Amino acid sequence: STGFMLDGSGIWYTFDLSFTGVNTGSAVVTVYDEYGFTLVIIPVTVEERIDKVTVNNGIYTLNHTDLTASFKKAQSNEIGSLSINPTVKANGKTYRVIKVEPNACKGLKKLQTVTLGKNIKTIGKNAFASCTKLKTIKGGAAVTTIGDAAFSGCKVLASFPTLSKLQTIGANAFKSCAKLTKFTLGAKVSSIGKNAFSACSGLRTITVKTTRLTDKNVGAGAFKSIYKKATFSCPKAKLAAYKKLFVKKGAPKTCIFK
């Protein structure tokens, strides 16, 4: 928006300007009254606005409305280590990186380590699926949502951080992560999708801090084929209910609940 005031009128007139198919540079806008007389001449500057930016080894898409960004994909399929920025700069502004887009790194065969920026809230569907050499995830303190199959098929994923703000774990999120040995369900977790930890055959220790899980918000097979003597450490008040619930959702009956 821009505007002007006619001398002595005391009235401020505002109007919106938009430009289509123009190059960057300067222009002049002339405003006429209904009789064709010039009311005001306004100089304007047209600046190029980019919608994507490449930083380090990642490509980010920009949302100009709320100054946020999302990690779209790695710049190369050959990377072994990836660090997703907390912020990126473009158009003279700073954008907070709040999301890893669906399929962002799906199937990257050489990727071994990922560090999530401190502003990431959502890890999209299939974001790191089938990264067969991915061993370590770091950071991600703000993550609230892990999408469907986000880490599915990451066969050697062994190190995953405790995410205290995590609320939702999608269907198949960690399916077939055979080397994952421990996982913490933080106090805010209120939804676990079907087969979320299915075939995590090495999953031996599950620390359960949440008291929000029920038959309705834990999907079928969520703990199917985990380590047969895995230990679930549960809130005391929920111990009996959770033992029944988790076995119903696929945990072997030989698991230890305490």
Side-chain angles (χ1 to χ4, degrees):
S1 292
T2 188
F4 63 93
M5 180 185 293
L6 294 178
D7 290 343
S9 70
I11 300 175
W12 181 261
Y13 297 87
T14 62
F15 56 94
D16 292 325
L17 291 174
S18 62
F19 299 89
T20 302
V22 298
N23 295 320
T24 60
S26 299
V28 173
V29 176
T30 303
V31 181
Y32 301 94
D33 66 11
E34 59 186 308
Y35 303 107
F37 293 103
T38 300
L39 292 177
V40 66
I41 298 175
I42 304 173
V44 297
T45 300
V46 182
E47 296 180 347
E48 181 183 14
R49 187 174 72 174
I50 61 174
D51 295 318
K52 293 181 182 179
V53 62
T54 299
V55 180
N56 296 331
N57 51 13
I59 299 173
Y60 299 79
T61 56
L62 308 176
N63 184 324
H64 307 298
T65 303
D66 60 4
L67 294 182
T68 61
S70 58
F71 178 83
K72 183 174 180 61
K73 64 178 182 179
Q75 191 176 11
S76 167
N77 292 336
E78 302 298 313
I79 62 170
S81 179
L82 173 65
S83 183
I84 298 177
N85 283 32
T87 60
V88 293
K89 292 184 178 182
N91 305 309
K93 299 176 181 179
T94 299
Y95 297 74
R96 292 182 305 112
V97 181
I98 63 170
K99 181 180 181 180
V100 179
E101 293 190 17
N103 304 304
C105 296
K106 183 179 179 180
L108 296 188
K109 301 303 182 184
K110 296 185 178 182
L111 185 62
Q112 297 184 40
T113 303
V114 173
T115 302
L116 300 169
K118 65 180 182 181
N119 294 319
I120 295 290
K121 294 183 178 180
T122 301
I123 300 174
K125 181 178 180 179
N126 292 314
F128 298 97
S130 301
C131 291
T132 53
K133 290 188 178 181
L134 181 58
K135 297 179 180 179
T136 304
I137 302 293
K138 301 176 182 179
V143 171
T144 62
T145 302
I146 297 175
D148 293 352
F151 297 95
S152 177
C154 294
K155 298 179 180 180
V156 297
L157 179 61
S159 180
F160 195 88
T162 297
L163 304 177
S164 62
K165 295 185 178 181
L166 183 62
Q167 299 175 25
T168 301
I169 300 172
N172 304 302
F174 294 92
K175 185 176 181 180
S176 299
C177 292
K179 295 294 184 180
L180 189 65
T181 60
K182 60 182 180 179
F183 197 92
T184 297
L185 299 172
K188 295 185 178 182
V189 174
S190 58
S191 178
I192 301 175
K194 63 181 181 180
N195 297 313
F197 295 95
S198 176
C200 290
S201 56
L203 187 55
R204 295 169 175 261
T205 304
I206 302 96
T207 301
V208 185
K209 296 183 177 181
T210 179
T211 58
R212 305 180 184 188
L213 301 177
T214 67
D215 185 57
K216 292 183 179 181
N217 59 28
V218 179
F223 299 100
K224 182 180 179 181
S225 299
I226 64 171
Y227 180 63
K228 64 181 181 179
K229 292 185 178 181
T231 297
F232 287 83
S233 298
C234 305
K236 186 175 180 180
K238 287 286 188 176
L239 181 57
Y242 277 180
K243 180 177 181 179
K244 182 178 179 180
L245 174 63
F246 295 154
V247 169
K248 182 178 179 179
K249 301 303 180 178
K253 294 180 179 180
T254 50
C255 287
I256 299 168
F257 293 85
K258 64 178 186 177

